[in-house]
Structures are given as structure tokens and as C-alpha cells.
Amino acid sequence: MIDDLELLRLIENNARLSAEEIAVMLGATADDVEAEIKRLKEENIILGYSTIINWEKKAPDNCIGMIEVRITPVKNKGYDHIAQILSKYEKVTACYLMSGGFDLMIIYEDRSLRDIATFVTEKIATMDGVLSTTTHFILKKYKANGLIYDNSNNDDRQAIIL
């Protein structure tokens, strides 16, 4: 029997592992691994696979906004109604229900600060039930998805001897 959690951790860290490689790590057969992955997909536990790209190196003009949204929940639908509407926008890369001073955290990626500001003012702020928004802009990524982005430890400061 394959440990689901261990299998999920393995493929989350490296989705390129073959069924044979995973089987060796888990002490199972490749057929068992493939069957388990198929089951996890059918149960919507494995939702997809992605590649993590350091866009700051390839497209440094890309901009990421973290948008805090305070809302009034919709009767009989709660927070889900507005969250589902906002999640459908292509450039919304994440949407979370939060505890604390605001209700939803939206991660939105676009070409410029102006594009993100336009999304907030024209799409989010005008929605029924939205009380307020606060937008933060990512200036630099140091670590995301468990990966350190710039691993250089170059310290080019000059030593001063007194």
C-alpha cells in the first residue's frame, strides 16, 4: 500500500519523477504508483503540474500585486460568491479567504502597476459587496513556492581595517 502523503510530497517537490523512480523511493511497483496517481487525479487531489520560472530574469517588467479585499458576504453564499467571480480573471493567480483585518487576498499579475491599479478600481472596487481594498506590490522575490530565487552569496563589500 502506497502512503498517499509521501507520494504527494515527492511529486510536489519534483513532478518530473518517473513512476519507476517514485516506486523505488516508496518501495512499491511502478504500476501501483501509476494507479495511485490516477486515483488522486480522479479525486481532484492532484489538480495539475506546473513549472516554477524566475520571471524577474526573463520578464523583469512583470508586476505582482497582492490585493486585500474586505467584503460583505452574500446571503446564502458567504464569501465564496465574490471569491469565485474574482478567481475567474485570467491574471488572478491566487485567491485566498483570510482571517484578520480583511477577507480575501488576491494575487494579480500584469505588465505594470497601472494595469493592476486599473483592475482594482474597475473590476474589484465596483463589485457589489466590496467594502474596501488595499493593494501591495511585490518589489522583489527572495523565496516562493519553497524555492530561493537568488542563491548568490556574493558579498562585494570592501573590508575596512582600523
Side-chain angles (χ1 to χ4, degrees):
M1 181 109 200
I2 293 178
D3 181 355
D4 288 2
L5 292 177
E6 187 62 28
L7 171 63
L8 291 170
R9 285 187 186 102
L10 287 171
I11 61 177
E12 182 180 41
N13 289 325
N14 185 356
R16 296 177 67 185
L17 289 172
S18 70
E20 291 78 16
E21 292 170 318
I22 295 170
V24 169
M25 293 178 196
L26 297 178
T29 68
D31 289 339
D32 288 343
V33 169
E34 288 172 357
E36 190 65 16
I37 289 173
K38 180 180 180 204
R39 183 185 69 78
L40 292 167
K41 286 179 182 179
E42 289 170 354
E43 292 181 11
N44 285 330
I45 294 171
I46 297 176
L47 300 175
Y49 303 91
S50 65
T51 302
I52 300 169
I53 299 169
N54 186 348
W55 285 110
E56 290 178 8
K57 288 188 174 189
K58 191 64 180 167
D61 295 333
N62 193 40
C63 190
I64 302 171
M66 298 174 69
I67 306 160
E68 299 173 1
V69 184
R70 287 186 57 237
I71 61 176
T72 301
V74 176
K75 186 176 182 178
N76 298 325
K77 296 182 182 179
Y79 297 102
D80 295 345
H81 178 69
I82 292 176
Q84 289 168 353
I85 292 169
L86 292 172
S87 294
K88 290 180 182 175
Y89 286 99
E90 179 184 346
K91 294 180 181 180
V92 170
T93 60
C95 179
Y96 305 103
L97 179 62
M98 305 293 290
S99 64
F102 58 95
D103 304 306
L104 298 176
M105 171 62 76
I106 307 295
I107 309 298
Y108 186 84
E109 297 187 31
D110 214 327
R111 294 170 297 165
S112 70
L113 300 175
R114 172 76 54 215
D115 292 331
I116 294 172
T118 300
F119 174 72
V120 171
T121 58
E122 293 180 3
K123 302 296 184 193
I124 299 178
T126 59
M127 290 180 71
D128 287 338
V130 171
L131 300 173
S132 67
T133 65
T134 302
T135 304
H136 307 272
F137 295 100
I138 305 282
L139 302 177
K140 181 177 180 178
K141 284 185 185 179
Y142 294 100
K143 183 176 182 177
N145 299 315
L147 298 173
I148 295 175
Y149 271 59
D150 187 8
N151 214 5
S152 63
N153 291 326
N154 298 338
D155 186 356
D156 56 359
R157 296 179 291 177
Q158 298 285 327
I160 298 176
I161 301 173
L162 299 174

Coordinates of all heavy atoms in Angstrom, one line a residue, residues 47-111:
L47 N -4.3 18.4 -8.8 CA -5.0 19.3 -9.7 C -4.3 19.6 -11.0 O -4.9 20.0 -12.0 CB -5.4 20.6 -9.0 CG -6.2 20.4 -7.8 CD1 -6.4 21.7 -7.0 CD2 -7.6 19.8 -8.1
G48 N -3.0 19.5 -11.0 CA -2.2 19.8 -12.2 C -0.7 19.8 -11.8 O -0.3 19.6 -10.7
Y49 N 0.1 20.1 -12.8 CA 1.5 20.2 -12.6 C 2.0 21.6 -13.2 O 1.4 22.1 -14.1 CB 2.2 19.1 -13.4 CG 1.8 17.7 -13.0 CD1 0.7 17.1 -13.6 CD2 2.4 17.1 -11.9 CE1 0.3 15.8 -13.2 CE2 2.0 15.8 -11.5 CZ 0.9 15.2 -12.2 OH 0.5 14.0 -11.8
S50 N 3.0 22.1 -12.6 CA 3.5 23.4 -13.1 C 5.0 23.5 -13.0 O 5.6 22.8 -12.3 CB 2.9 24.6 -12.3 OG 3.3 24.5 -11.0
T51 N 5.5 24.5 -13.8 CA 6.9 24.8 -13.8 C 7.1 26.1 -13.1 O 6.4 27.0 -13.3 CB 7.5 24.9 -15.3 OG1 7.2 23.7 -15.9 CG2 8.9 25.2 -15.3
I52 N 8.1 26.2 -12.2 CA 8.4 27.4 -11.5 C 9.4 28.2 -12.3 O 10.5 27.7 -12.5 CB 8.8 27.1 -10.0 CG1 7.6 26.4 -9.3 CG2 9.1 28.4 -9.3 CD1 8.0 25.8 -8.0
I53 N 9.1 29.4 -12.7 CA 10.0 30.2 -13.5 C 10.4 31.5 -12.8 O 9.5 32.1 -12.2 CB 9.3 30.5 -14.8 CG1 9.0 29.2 -15.6 CG2 10.2 31.4 -15.7 CD1 8.2 29.4 -16.8
N54 N 11.6 31.8 -12.8 CA 12.1 33.1 -12.3 C 11.8 34.2 -13.3 O 12.7 34.5 -14.1 CB 13.5 33.1 -11.9 CG 14.0 34.3 -11.1 OD1 13.3 35.3 -11.1 ND2 15.2 34.2 -10.6
W55 N 10.6 34.8 -13.3 CA 10.2 35.7 -14.3 C 11.0 37.0 -14.2 O 11.1 37.8 -15.2 CB 8.7 36.0 -14.2 CG 7.9 34.9 -14.8 CD1 7.1 34.0 -14.1 CD2 7.8 34.5 -16.2 NE1 6.6 33.1 -15.0 CE2 7.0 33.4 -16.2 CE3 8.4 34.9 -17.4 CZ2 6.7 32.7 -17.4 CZ3 8.1 34.3 -18.5 CH2 7.2 33.2 -18.6
E56 N 11.6 37.3 -13.0 CA 12.3 38.5 -12.9 C 13.6 38.5 -13.8 O 14.0 39.6 -14.2 CB 12.8 38.7 -11.4 CG 11.6 39.0 -10.5 CD 12.0 39.2 -9.0 OE1 13.2 39.1 -8.7 OE2 11.1 39.3 -8.2
K57 N 14.1 37.4 -14.1 CA 15.2 37.3 -15.1 C 14.8 37.3 -16.5 O 15.5 37.9 -17.4 CB 16.0 36.0 -14.8 CG 16.8 36.0 -13.5 CD 17.7 34.8 -13.4 CE 18.6 34.9 -12.2 NZ 19.6 33.9 -12.2
K58 N 13.6 36.8 -16.8 CA 13.2 36.7 -18.2 C 12.3 37.9 -18.6 O 12.3 38.4 -19.7 CB 12.5 35.4 -18.5 CG 12.2 35.1 -19.9 CD 13.5 35.0 -20.7 CE 13.3 34.7 -22.1 NZ 14.5 34.8 -22.9
A59 N 11.4 38.3 -17.7 CA 10.5 39.4 -18.0 C 10.4 40.3 -16.8 O 9.5 40.4 -16.0 CB 9.1 38.9 -18.3
P60 N 11.5 41.1 -16.6 CA 11.6 41.9 -15.4 C 10.6 43.0 -15.2 O 10.4 43.6 -14.1 CB 13.0 42.5 -15.5 CG 13.4 42.5 -16.9 CD 12.6 41.3 -17.5
D61 N 9.8 43.3 -16.3 CA 8.8 44.4 -16.2 C 7.5 43.8 -15.6 O 6.6 44.6 -15.4 CB 8.6 45.0 -17.5 CG 9.8 45.8 -18.0 OD1 10.6 46.2 -17.1 OD2 10.0 45.9 -19.2
N62 N 7.4 42.5 -15.5 CA 6.2 41.9 -14.9 C 5.9 42.5 -13.5 O 6.9 42.7 -12.8 CB 6.3 40.4 -14.9 CG 5.0 39.7 -14.6 OD1 4.0 40.1 -15.2 ND2 5.0 38.7 -13.9
C63 N 4.7 42.7 -13.1 CA 4.4 43.3 -11.8 C 3.4 42.4 -11.1 O 2.5 41.8 -11.7 CB 3.8 44.7 -12.1 SG 3.6 45.6 -10.6
I64 N 3.5 42.2 -9.8 CA 2.7 41.4 -9.0 C 2.0 42.2 -7.9 O 2.8 42.9 -7.2 CB 3.4 40.2 -8.4 CG1 4.0 39.3 -9.5 CG2 2.4 39.4 -7.5 CD1 5.0 38.3 -8.9
G65 N 0.7 42.2 -7.8 CA 0.0 42.9 -6.7 C -0.6 41.9 -5.8 O -1.2 40.9 -6.2
M66 N -0.6 42.2 -4.5 CA -1.3 41.5 -3.5 C -2.4 42.4 -3.0 O -2.1 43.5 -2.5 CB -0.4 41.1 -2.3 CG 0.8 40.2 -2.8 SD 1.9 39.9 -1.4 CE 0.9 38.9 -0.3
I67 N -3.6 42.0 -3.3 CA -4.8 42.9 -3.1 C -5.6 42.3 -1.9 O -6.1 41.2 -2.0 CB -5.6 43.0 -4.4 CG1 -4.8 43.4 -5.6 CG2 -6.8 44.0 -4.1 CD1 -5.4 43.1 -6.9
E68 N -5.7 43.1 -0.9 CA -6.6 42.8 0.3 C -7.9 43.3 0.0 O -8.1 44.4 -0.4 CB -6.0 43.4 1.6 CG -4.7 43.0 1.9 CD -4.1 43.8 3.1 OE1 -4.8 44.7 3.7 OE2 -3.0 43.5 3.5
V69 N -9.0 42.4 0.1 CA -10.3 42.9 -0.2 C -11.2 42.6 1.1 O -11.2 41.5 1.6 CB -10.9 42.1 -1.4 CG1 -12.3 42.6 -1.7 CG2 -10.0 42.2 -2.6
R70 N -11.9 43.6 1.5 CA -12.9 43.5 2.6 C -14.2 43.4 1.9 O -14.5 44.3 1.1 CB -12.8 44.7 3.6 CG -11.6 44.6 4.5 CD -11.6 45.7 5.5 NE -12.8 45.6 6.4 CZ -13.7 46.7 6.5 NH1 -13.5 47.8 5.9 NH2 -14.7 46.5 7.3
I71 N -15.0 42.4 2.3 CA -16.3 42.3 1.6 C -17.4 42.0 2.6 O -17.2 41.6 3.8 CB -16.3 41.2 0.6 CG1 -16.0 39.8 1.2 CG2 -15.3 41.5 -0.5 CD1 -16.1 38.6 0.2
T72 N -18.7 42.2 2.2 CA -19.8 41.8 2.9 C -20.3 40.5 2.3 O -20.5 40.4 1.1 CB -21.0 42.8 2.8 OG1 -20.5 44.1 3.3 CG2 -22.2 42.4 3.6
P73 N -20.3 39.4 3.1 CA -20.7 38.1 2.5 C -22.1 38.2 1.9 O -23.0 38.8 2.4 CB -20.7 37.2 3.7 CG -19.9 37.9 4.7 CD -20.0 39.3 4.5
V74 N -22.3 37.5 0.8 CA -23.6 37.4 0.1 C -24.5 36.4 0.9 O -24.0 35.3 1.2 CB -23.4 37.0 -1.3 CG1 -24.7 36.8 -2.0 CG2 -22.5 38.0 -2.1
K75 N -25.7 36.7 1.1 CA -26.6 35.9 1.8 C -26.7 34.5 1.1 O -26.8 34.4 -0.1 CB -28.0 36.5 1.9 CG -29.0 35.7 2.7 CD -30.3 36.4 2.8 CE -31.2 35.6 3.7 NZ -32.5 36.2 3.9
N76 N -26.6 33.5 1.9 CA -26.7 32.0 1.5 C -25.5 31.6 0.6 O -25.5 30.5 0.1 CB -28.0 31.7 0.7 CG -29.2 31.9 1.6 OD1 -29.2 31.7 2.8 ND2 -30.3 32.4 1.0
K77 N -24.5 32.5 0.4 CA -23.3 32.1 -0.4 C -22.0 32.5 0.3 O -21.0 32.1 -0.1 CB -23.4 32.8 -1.8 CG -24.6 32.4 -2.6 CD -24.5 33.1 -4.0 CE -25.7 32.7 -4.8 NZ -25.8 33.3 -6.1
G78 N -22.1 33.3 1.3 CA -20.9 33.7 2.1 C -19.9 34.4 1.3 O -20.2 35.2 0.4
Y79 N -18.6 34.1 1.5 CA -17.5 34.8 0.8 C -17.3 34.1 -0.6 O -16.7 34.7 -1.4 CB -16.3 34.7 1.6 CG -16.3 35.4 3.0 CD1 -16.6 34.7 4.1 CD2 -16.2 36.8 3.0 CE1 -16.6 35.4 5.4 CE2 -16.3 37.5 4.2 CZ -16.5 36.7 5.4 OH -16.6 37.4 6.6
D80 N -17.8 32.9 -0.7 CA -17.5 32.1 -1.9 C -17.9 32.8 -3.2 O -17.3 32.7 -4.2 CB -18.1 30.7 -1.9 CG -17.6 29.9 -0.7 OD1 -16.5 30.2 -0.2 OD2 -18.2 28.9 -0.4
H81 N -19.1 33.5 -3.2 CA -19.6 34.1 -4.4 C -18.6 35.1 -5.0 O -18.3 35.0 -6.2 CB -21.0 34.8 -4.0 CG -21.6 35.5 -5.2 ND1 -22.1 34.8 -6.3 CD2 -21.7 36.8 -5.5 CE1 -22.5 35.7 -7.1 NE2 -22.3 36.9 -6.7
I82 N -18.2 36.0 -4.2 CA -17.2 37.1 -4.7 C -15.9 36.4 -5.0 O -15.3 36.7 -6.1 CB -17.1 38.2 -3.7 CG1 -18.4 39.0 -3.7 CG2 -15.9 39.1 -4.1 CD1 -18.4 40.1 -2.7
A83 N -15.4 35.5 -4.2 CA -14.2 34.8 -4.5 C -14.2 34.0 -5.8 O -13.2 34.1 -6.6 CB -13.8 33.8 -3.3
Q84 N -15.3 33.4 -6.1 CA -15.4 32.7 -7.4 C -15.4 33.6 -8.6 O -14.8 33.3 -9.6 CB -16.6 31.8 -7.4 CG -16.5 30.6 -6.4 CD -17.8 29.9 -6.2 OE1 -18.9 30.3 -6.6 NE2 -17.7 28.8 -5.5
I85 N -16.0 34.7 -8.4 CA -16.0 35.7 -9.5 C -14.6 36.2 -9.8 O -14.1 36.3 -10.9 CB -17.0 36.9 -9.2 CG1 -18.4 36.4 -9.2 CG2 -16.8 38.0 -10.2 CD1 -19.4 37.4 -8.7
L86 N -13.9 36.6 -8.7 CA -12.6 37.2 -8.9 C -11.6 36.1 -9.3 O -10.7 36.4 -10.1 CB -12.1 37.8 -7.5 CG -12.8 39.0 -7.1 CD1 -12.4 39.4 -5.7 CD2 -12.6 40.2 -8.1
S87 N -11.8 34.9 -9.0 CA -10.9 33.8 -9.4 C -10.9 33.5 -10.9 O -10.0 32.9 -11.4 CB -11.2 32.5 -8.6 OG -10.9 32.7 -7.2
K88 N -12.0 33.9 -11.5 CA -12.2 33.6 -12.9 C -11.3 34.5 -13.8 O -11.1 34.2 -15.0 CB -13.6 33.7 -13.3 CG -14.4 32.6 -12.8 CD -15.9 32.6 -13.2 CE -16.6 31.5 -12.5 NZ -18.1 31.6 -12.7
Y89 N -10.8 35.6 -13.3 CA -10.0 36.5 -14.1 C -8.6 35.8 -14.4 O -8.0 35.3 -13.5 CB -9.7 37.9 -13.4 CG -10.9 38.8 -13.4 CD1 -11.8 38.8 -12.3 CD2 -11.2 39.5 -14.5 CE1 -12.9 39.7 -12.3 CE2 -12.4 40.3 -14.5 CZ -13.2 40.4 -13.4 OH -14.3 41.2 -13.5
E90 N -8.2 35.8 -15.6 CA -7.0 35.1 -16.0 C -5.8 35.5 -15.3 O -4.9 34.7 -14.9 CB -6.8 35.3 -17.5 CG -5.6 34.7 -18.1 CD -5.4 35.0 -19.6 OE1 -6.3 35.5 -20.2 OE2 -4.2 34.7 -20.0
K91 N -5.6 36.8 -15.0 CA -4.4 37.3 -14.4 C -4.4 37.2 -12.8 O -3.5 37.5 -12.2 CB -4.1 38.7 -14.8 CG -3.8 38.8 -16.3 CD -3.5 40.1 -16.8 CE -3.2 40.1 -18.3 NZ -3.0 41.4 -18.8
V92 N -5.5 36.7 -12.3 CA -5.6 36.4 -10.9 C -4.9 35.0 -10.7 O -5.5 34.0 -11.2 CB -7.0 36.4 -10.3 CG1 -7.1 35.8 -8.9 CG2 -7.6 37.8 -10.3
T93 N -3.8 35.0 -10.1 CA -3.0 33.7 -10.0 C -3.4 33.0 -8.7 O -3.1 31.8 -8.5 CB -1.5 34.0 -10.1 OG1 -1.1 34.8 -9.0 CG2 -1.2 34.6 -11.4
A94 N -4.0 33.7 -7.7 CA -4.4 33.1 -6.4 C -5.4 33.9 -5.8 O -5.5 35.1 -5.9 CB -3.2 32.9 -5.5
C95 N -6.3 33.2 -5.0 CA -7.4 33.9 -4.3 C -7.6 33.1 -3.0 O -7.8 31.9 -3.0 CB -8.6 33.9 -5.1 SG -10.0 34.7 -4.2
Y96 N -7.4 33.7 -1.8 CA -7.5 33.1 -0.5 C -8.5 33.8 0.4 O -8.5 35.0 0.4 CB -6.1 33.1 0.2 CG -5.0 32.6 -0.6 CD1 -4.1 33.5 -1.2 CD2 -4.7 31.2 -0.7 CE1 -3.0 33.0 -1.9 CE2 -3.7 30.7 -1.4 CZ -2.8 31.6 -2.1 OH -1.7 31.1 -2.8
L97 N -9.2 33.0 1.1 CA -10.0 33.5 2.2 C -9.1 33.6 3.4 O -8.4 32.7 3.8 CB -11.2 32.6 2.5 CG -12.1 33.0 3.7 CD1 -12.8 34.3 3.4 CD2 -13.2 31.9 3.9
M98 N -9.1 34.8 4.1 CA -8.2 35.1 5.1 C -8.9 35.3 6.5 O -10.0 35.7 6.5 CB -7.3 36.3 4.8 CG -6.6 36.2 3.4 SD -5.3 35.0 3.3 CE -4.1 35.7 4.4
S99 N -8.1 35.2 7.5 CA -8.6 35.7 8.8 C -7.9 37.0 9.1 O -6.9 37.3 8.4 CB -8.2 34.7 9.9 OG -6.8 34.6 10.0
G100 N -8.4 37.8 10.0 CA -7.8 39.0 10.3 C -8.5 40.3 9.8 O -9.8 40.2 9.7
G101 N -7.8 41.3 9.4 CA -8.4 42.6 9.1 C -9.0 42.7 7.7 O -9.6 43.7 7.4
F102 N -8.9 41.7 6.9 CA -9.6 41.7 5.6 C -10.0 40.2 5.3 O -9.7 39.3 6.0 CB -8.6 42.2 4.5 CG -7.3 41.4 4.3 CD1 -7.2 40.4 3.4 CD2 -6.2 41.7 5.1 CE1 -6.0 39.7 3.3 CE2 -5.1 41.0 5.0 CZ -4.9 40.0 4.1
D103 N -10.8 40.1 4.2 CA -11.4 38.8 3.9 C -10.8 38.0 2.8 O -10.6 36.8 3.0 CB -12.9 39.0 3.6 CG -13.6 39.8 4.6 OD1 -13.6 39.4 5.8 OD2 -14.2 40.9 4.3
L104 N -10.4 38.6 1.7 CA -9.8 37.9 0.6 C -8.4 38.5 0.3 O -8.2 39.7 0.4 CB -10.7 38.0 -0.7 CG -12.1 37.4 -0.6 CD1 -12.8 37.7 -1.9 CD2 -12.0 35.9 -0.3
M105 N -7.5 37.6 -0.1 CA -6.2 38.0 -0.6 C -6.2 37.6 -2.0 O -6.3 36.4 -2.3 CB -5.1 37.4 0.2 CG -3.7 37.7 -0.4 SD -3.2 39.4 -0.5 CE -2.8 39.7 1.1
I106 N -6.0 38.5 -2.9 CA -5.9 38.2 -4.4 C -4.5 38.5 -4.8 O -3.9 39.6 -4.5 CB -6.9 39.2 -5.2 CG1 -8.3 39.1 -4.6 CG2 -6.8 38.9 -6.7 CD1 -9.0 37.8 -4.7
I107 N -3.9 37.5 -5.5 CA -2.6 37.8 -6.2 C -2.9 38.0 -7.6 O -3.5 37.1 -8.3 CB -1.7 36.5 -6.0 CG1 -1.6 36.1 -4.5 CG2 -0.3 36.9 -6.5 CD1 -1.0 37.2 -3.5
Y108 N -2.5 39.1 -8.1 CA -2.8 39.5 -9.5 C -1.5 39.9 -10.2 O -0.7 40.7 -9.7 CB -3.7 40.7 -9.5 CG -4.2 41.1 -10.8 CD1 -5.3 40.5 -11.4 CD2 -3.6 42.2 -11.5 CE1 -5.8 40.9 -12.7 CE2 -4.1 42.6 -12.8 CZ -5.2 41.9 -13.3 OH -5.7 42.3 -14.5
E109 N -1.2 39.3 -11.4 CA 0.0 39.6 -12.1 C -0.3 40.3 -13.5 O -1.2 39.8 -14.2 CB 0.8 38.3 -12.4 CG 1.2 37.7 -11.1 CD 2.1 36.5 -11.3 OE1 2.9 36.5 -12.3 OE2 2.1 35.6 -10.5
D110 N 0.4 41.4 -13.8 CA 0.2 42.1 -15.0 C 1.4 42.8 -15.4 O 2.5 42.6 -14.8 CB -1.0 43.1 -14.8 CG -1.8 43.3 -16.1 OD1 -1.2 43.2 -17.2 OD2 -3.0 43.5 -16.0
R111 N 1.4 43.6 -16.5 CA 2.6 44.2 -17.0 C 3.1 45.4 -16.2 O 4.2 45.8 -16.2 CB 2.3 44.7 -18.5 CG 2.1 43.5 -19.4 CD 1.6 44.0 -20.7 NE 0.3 44.6 -20.5 CZ -0.3 45.4 -21.3 NH1 0.2 45.7 -22.5 NH2 -1.4 46.0 -21.0

